[in-house]
Amino acid sequence: MKISTKGRYGLTIMMDLAKRFGQGPVPLKSVAERHGLSEHYLEQLIAPLRNAGLVRSVRGAYGGYKLAKDPEEITAGDIIRVLEGPINLVEYTEEDDPARRNLWKRVRDAIVKELDSTTLASLINDSDDGNHDGYMFYI
């Protein structure tokens, strides 16, 4: 499984909103400008996040988006599942070799455990620690 731009940019949106949690709605245009992303593409990503109850929209001149829950209550797994679908590394059938099938299940479970234990709050705290090694992870 490779996390697409939908998942990566979705995490970017949510981390940006988490950094501004409690400060009122954030215009999507400002998120796009801060991160050098397409506002139109972010609009496509915010809709499923809103439908899943992770963000709320506020209309009006001072409108925008804000988290629907505390950053401690939203995990990376929540976001990835909304934007990417179920977390699976490989497709397999019951006819596949049980040893290989069990290996892929254990790897998937380890990834799910990490995503589900990583909150937005922990992500923004990690990004604020000054350690910007620029790692790119492919799963």
Side-chain angles (χ1 to χ4, degrees):
M1 166 183 203
K2 183 176 178 181
I3 304 295
S4 71
T5 56
K6 287 172 32 175
R8 294 194 324 263
Y9 293 177
L11 277 172
T12 300
I13 294 168
M14 297 296 283
M15 288 174 64
D16 194 277
L17 297 179
K19 286 180 182 179
R20 289 155 185 76
F21 185 70
Q23 299 176 12
V26 178
L28 209 51
K29 181 177 184 172
S30 68
V31 175
E33 289 172 352
R34 271 192 292 280
H35 300 283
L37 302 173
S38 161
E39 181 182 0
H40 179 69
Y41 189 47
L42 297 187
E43 287 171 355
Q44 294 174 30
L45 300 179
I46 202 79
L49 294 168
R50 187 184 66 242
N51 292 338
L54 298 177
V55 297
R56 288 192 311 210
S57 60
V58 177
R59 293 182 166 199
Y62 298 102
Y65 294 90
K66 59 184 182 177
L67 295 182
K69 305 176 192 176
D70 189 281
E72 284 286 345
E73 298 175 23
I74 301 173
T75 67
D78 297 332
I79 299 160
I80 296 300
R81 278 186 203 85
V82 166
L83 296 172
E84 300 280 357
I87 299 165
N88 286 314
L89 298 176
V90 294
E91 300 282 331
Y92 52 83
T93 66
E94 294 304 316
E95 291 83 36
D96 288 341
D97 177 61
R100 283 194 310 256
R101 190 172 60 236
N102 288 334
L103 168 66
W104 296 128
K105 285 180 179 179
R106 288 193 316 268
V107 172
R108 179 206 57 211
D109 291 347
I111 292 169
V112 167
K113 180 181 177 187
E114 186 63 30
L115 289 172
D116 287 344
S117 66
T118 304
T119 66
L120 280 177
S122 66
L123 282 171
I124 61 174
N125 288 336
D126 288 349
S127 70
D128 291 339
D129 70 1
N131 185 5
H132 301 284
D133 293 332
Y135 293 118
M136 176 62 74
F137 294 98
Y138 293 96
I139 300 173

